[in-house]
C-alpha cells in the first residue's frame, strides 16, 4: 500500500510575525514529498517513523471529537501492521516535514473530512487550519496548522491575519528570469520549540514588541503585497529591510557561522537572506535579483532555486 503524495512547503514571508498577526505567504514546494506506506519496516527510518505513528495514534485518541473524528481503529491496525511515513522531506529544515505527515493522516483517516475538491470558503480553510493545528501540536508544542494546510491543499495560501486566510495565486515563474528565491542549506538541524520559546521570552520586552510591530511586521506585510502584485523592485527594497531587522533582532535564530554571510548580502546587495521557518538551522531563504551573482558570492554553499522571476 502506498498513499497519495503530500508536498513540503515554504513560508516565503511571515515567520514569527504570523504569531502576532502579520501577513504571511506560504507556497507548496514539490521538490520534497512524503506518503504513508506499508511495504515492510526494512530501514531504521521506517522503524522510527512507525514508532512515531504509534504515539501519534494515542495522541489523536484524545483530540476533541467536536473538532474532528478519525477512524482510529483502522489507523491503529495499519500502524500495528507496520505503516510508516516515507518522506524525502528533511526534518528540522523549516520545510514542513511534520505538516506533510499530518496532511496524509487526515486525508486517509479523518471522518467527514473537508476535501480539496469542494468550494474552499474562508470558513472551511479556518476549520481545516484549526484541526491541523491541534494535530500538529503533537510534534512541536504549539502549531499554527499552516504547514499541514499547505501540504494538504497544495496551493499557495495567503495569511491576512490569524482568522483570515485564503487560497491565492502567485505571479507565474519566468524560467529564464535572473531574479530568484532560493534555499541555502545551513547543514544543521533546527529545532522549532526552543526557537519559539526564545521568541516568546523576547516578547516580554517592550522594546522587542515595538520593533516587531513597527519594523518586522510592517516589512513582512509589504513583502507579501509586493510579491503578490509582482512588484519585484519594491520587493527587494522591503526584503532588504526585513533581512536587516532579522540580523539585528533575531540573531539567536541565525546559526553563528551565517552572521557574516548574512551581513555580506546586505553590504553587497548580491542577495538578501531571511529565516525559513523558525530558524536555528535547517534552510535559510535567500532572495536575489541576479542568481548568477548570488551563486558566485555563495559558491561554498549549496543553493536550491525555489522560484524564478
Amino acid at each position: 500500500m502506498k498513499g497519495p503524495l503530500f508536498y513540503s512547503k515554504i513560508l516565503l514571508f511571515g515567520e514569527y510575525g504570523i504569531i502576532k498577526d502579520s501577513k504571511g505567504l506560504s507556497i507548496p514546494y514539490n521538490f520534497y514529498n512524503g506518503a504513508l506506506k506499508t511495504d515492510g519496516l526494512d530501514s531504521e527510518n521506517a522503524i522510527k517513523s512507525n514508532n512515531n505513528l504509534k504515539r501519534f495514534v494515542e495522541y489523536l485518541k484524545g483530540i476533541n471529537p467536536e473538532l474532528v473524528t478519525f477512524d482510529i481503529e483502522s489507523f491503529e491496525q495499519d500502524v500495528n501492521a507496520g505503516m510508516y511515513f516515507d518522506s524525502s522531506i528533511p526534518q528540522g529544515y523549516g520545510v514542513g516535514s511534520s505538516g506533510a505527515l499530518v496532511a496524509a493522516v487526515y486525508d486517509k483517516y479523518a471522518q467527514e473530512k473537508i476535501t480539496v475538491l469542494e468550494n474552499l470558503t474562508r470558513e472551511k480553510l479556518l476549520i481545516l487550519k484549526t484541526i491541523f493545528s491541534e494535530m500538529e501540536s503533537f510534534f512541536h508544542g504549539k502549531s499554527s496548522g499552516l504547514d499541514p494546510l499547505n501540504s494538504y491543499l497544495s496551493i499557495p495560501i495567503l495569511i491576512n491575519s490569524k482568522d483570515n486566510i485564503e487560497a491565492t495565486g502567485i505571479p507565474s515563474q519566468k524560467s529564464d528570469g535572473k531574479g530568484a528565491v532560493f534555499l541555502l542549506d545551513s547543514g544543521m538541524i533546527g529545532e522549532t520549540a526552543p526557537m519559539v520559546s526564545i521568541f516568546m521570552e523576547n516578547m516580554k520586552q517592550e522594546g522587542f514588541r515595538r520593533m516587531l510591530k513597527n519594523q518586522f511586521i510592517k516589512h513582512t506585510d509589504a513583502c507579501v503585497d509586493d510579491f503578490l502584485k509582482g512588484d519585484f523592485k519594491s520587493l527587494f527594497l522591503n526584503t532588504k529591510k526585513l533581512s536587516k531587522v532579522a540580523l539585528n533582532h533575531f540573531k539567536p535564530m541565525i546559526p553563528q557561522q551565517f552572521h557574516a554571510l548574512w551581513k555580506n548580502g546586505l553590504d553587497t546587495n548580491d542577495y538578501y537572506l531571511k529565516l525559513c521557518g523558525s530558524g536555528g538551522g535547517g534552510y535559510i531563504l535567500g532572495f536575489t535579483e541576479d542568481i548568477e551573482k548570488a551563486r558566485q558570492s555563495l559558491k561554498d554553499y549549496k543553493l536550491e532555486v525555489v522560484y524564478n522571476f
Side-chain angles (χ1 to χ4, degrees), residues 53-299:
L53 284 176
K54 282 178 182 160
R55 291 197 299 275
F56 196 35
V57 170
E58 291 309 312
Y59 173 80
L60 292 184
K61 285 179 183 173
I63 221 163
N64 180 357
E66 284 176 18
L67 183 63
V68 60
T69 54
F70 296 94
D71 180 355
I72 286 286
E73 217 168 290
S74 300
F75 187 20
E76 200 157 23
Q77 271 170 5
D78 290 344
V79 170
N80 290 338
M83 185 171 72
Y84 66 101
F85 190 62
D86 183 29
S87 166
S88 65
I89 308 170
Q91 291 189 342
Y93 262 67
V95 285
S97 54
S98 57
L101 167 56
V102 165
V105 169
Y106 176 83
D107 180 64
K108 189 162 170 55
Y109 298 105
Q111 293 170 322
E112 297 173 32
K113 67 180 182 187
I114 295 171
T115 73
V116 186
L117 301 172
E118 55 198 270
N119 177 16
L120 288 167
T121 59
R122 200 168 283 179
E123 195 185 0
K124 282 181 188 165
L125 286 175
L126 274 177
I127 292 169
L128 271 175
K129 181 175 175 286
T130 310
I131 290 169
F132 289 148
S133 163
E134 283 293 311
M135 290 175 72
E136 200 184 27
S137 292
F138 167 74
F139 297 94
H140 21 236
K142 192 160 166 31
S143 155
S144 69
L146 277 169
D147 289 5
L149 185 64
N150 214 295
S151 193
Y152 184 62
L153 301 175
S154 226
I155 47 179
I157 290 165
L158 169 63
I159 302 112
N160 293 303
S161 67
K162 270 197 197 73
D163 307 322
N164 181 349
I165 54 175
E166 56 187 298
T168 188
I170 57 174
S172 51
Q173 297 205 51
K174 289 195 177 72
S175 53
D176 57 348
K178 279 172 76 174
V181 181
F182 60 87
L183 292 173
L184 180 70
D185 189 344
S186 75
M188 23 190 316
I189 287 175
E191 292 269 340
T192 300
M195 293 298 125
V196 173
S197 59
I198 291 171
F199 174 78
M200 288 317 206
E201 203 46 47
N202 287 342
M203 283 299 290
K204 292 175 183 170
Q205 302 161 25
E206 200 204 326
F208 187 85
R209 289 200 302 273
R210 203 179 312 128
M211 172 282 302
L212 196 77
K213 180 169 177 268
N214 299 336
Q215 295 174 45
F216 194 75
I217 289 179
K218 191 176 124 195
H219 303 327
T220 296
D221 289 357
C223 285
V224 171
D225 292 341
D226 290 341
F227 189 86
L228 292 176
K229 283 201 302 248
D231 184 347
F232 295 113
K233 201 174 164 58
S234 178
L235 175 71
F236 281 103
L237 293 171
N238 285 312
T239 305
K240 182 174 188 176
K241 290 175 187 167
L242 193 55
S243 181
K244 203 178 248 171
V245 172
L247 185 60
N248 291 337
H249 299 281
F250 287 80
K251 272 220 168 70
M253 287 75 167
I254 302 169
Q256 185 67 43
Q257 63 271 42
F258 287 92
H259 291 184
L261 207 62
W262 202 287
K263 187 174 182 313
N264 181 54
L266 290 166
D267 293 344
T268 60
N269 296 316
D270 288 353
Y271 57 86
Y272 304 129
L273 299 180
K274 65 181 289 298
L275 295 170
C276 178
S278 55
Y283 284 119
I284 292 167
L285 206 49
F287 288 74
T288 179
E289 290 185 83
D290 185 339
I291 187 62
E292 287 319 313
K293 229 184 215 174
R295 280 190 204 281
Q296 216 29 55
S297 283
L298 298 164
K299 60 180 182 298

